[in-house]
Amino acid sequence: MHGRLACRLVKELTTGEKGQLQPFNDDLLNEVTKECSENFVVLQSLIRKMQEEGLDFQTTRNADHYGALINHLSLIRNKRCLMAYVYNRAEMIQNLAWKVGLRLFELPEEIQEKLSHLEKEYFKRHSAALESYMSKIDLDLNVDMVPPKDPYIKVRVLDDVGEGIVVSDKAANFARHSMHFLKRTDAEPYISRGLMEELTG
């Protein structure tokens, strides 16, 4: 059935929680691309056949005309489904840069495993563009959009971050379960990656 594979590809975007990436389905995407190529070949051959028979494709209504029309519409639909799949995943990848961090190694392993090679490259280039822009305007856009009441927050380390981490020009040891009083801008990247939690009250 024309377009069934492409439909399955788009449905993958709705599986799981909203905004959560599913593993990149390279096999299914390649199958849809192959179907597009097959549609194009059949479309071209049917048009060529009608031309050889001296028939006007615009006015003739025979089996070849409708066969060409079906393959043409299937080709367009498949291309739109492919674009929807790639575009929606690209949007989710862009959001990761804001929520998790601008470095690929900052992404949890389970997220990196769901990205294709080209998506990883896209993430790197998108992050580099953001970093370049923030550097030019001298403003970190990855911190809270609403100004905090206090620039400092109390945090608990949830996982070993490592020794010798430099925050605000000072080296710190973020051992697991240790608590620290940090600038919000310093703590935010670790909180977004699930390595720290903000303590309130």
Side-chain angles (χ1 to χ4, degrees):
M1 168 97 43
H2 289 288
R4 183 172 288 176
L5 294 173
C7 184
R8 274 176 51 199
L9 194 65
V10 173
K11 279 184 177 178
E12 284 198 3
L13 295 171
T14 61
T15 59
E17 294 181 34
K18 187 177 180 181
Q20 295 295 316
L21 272 173
Q22 298 298 314
F24 186 83
N25 197 333
D26 200 39
D27 292 337
L28 187 54
L29 186 132
N30 286 336
E31 285 185 55
V32 177
T33 305
K34 181 183 176 184
E35 188 176 296
C36 285
S37 299
E38 291 170 354
N39 288 145
F40 182 73
V41 169
V42 174
L43 173 63
Q44 290 292 92
S45 66
L46 288 172
I47 291 175
R48 196 179 305 112
K49 181 183 174 187
M50 292 181 70
Q51 289 173 339
E52 290 171 354
E53 292 174 355
L55 300 174
D56 183 1
F57 185 75
Q58 300 296 328
T59 58
T60 303
R61 298 293 181 266
N62 61 6
D64 290 337
H65 168 84
Y66 291 111
L69 181 62
I70 289 170
N71 279 277
H72 175 66
L73 294 176
S74 177
L75 176 60
I76 291 173
R77 186 175 186 277
N78 282 347
K79 285 173 67 178
R80 290 177 70 179
C81 289
L82 285 169
M83 290 170 68
Y85 183 74
V86 173
Y87 177 79
N88 278 275
R89 287 184 64 88
E91 278 199 321
M92 288 187 234
I93 292 167
Q94 289 176 24
N95 289 335
L96 288 173
W98 295 107
K99 293 177 182 176
V100 182
L102 296 175
R103 301 283 194 281
L104 187 62
F105 68 82
E106 292 177 341
L107 296 180
E109 190 65 34
E110 60 268 22
I111 292 179
Q112 291 192 45
E113 290 173 354
K114 295 176 181 178
L115 302 178
S116 70
H117 171 72
L118 289 175
E119 286 178 326
K120 289 178 181 178
E121 192 62 33
Y122 176 74
F123 179 83
K124 289 178 185 175
R125 292 187 181 190
H126 177 72
S127 298
L130 284 177
E131 285 185 317
S132 174
Y133 177 71
M134 289 190 287
S135 174
K136 286 178 182 177
I137 63 173
D138 194 26
L139 182 65
D140 188 354
L141 300 175
N142 259 3
V143 295
D144 290 333
M145 298 302 289
V146 179
K149 294 178 181 177
D150 192 330
Y152 289 88
I153 59 173
K154 191 174 184 180
V155 296
R156 177 188 291 123
V157 180
L158 301 176
D159 202 355
D160 285 324
V161 178
E163 297 182 7
I165 304 296
V166 178
V167 289
S168 298
D169 299 327
K170 294 178 182 177
N173 180 17
F174 294 129
R176 191 173 185 179
H177 302 306
S178 61
M179 288 184 278
H180 304 269
F181 201 57
L182 302 173
K183 277 186 179 180
R184 180 176 293 273
T185 52
D186 290 333
E188 198 68 41
Y190 298 102
I191 293 172
S192 65
R193 287 158 54 195
L195 298 174
M196 294 181 182
E197 66 176 353
E198 182 178 357
L199 299 175
T200 56

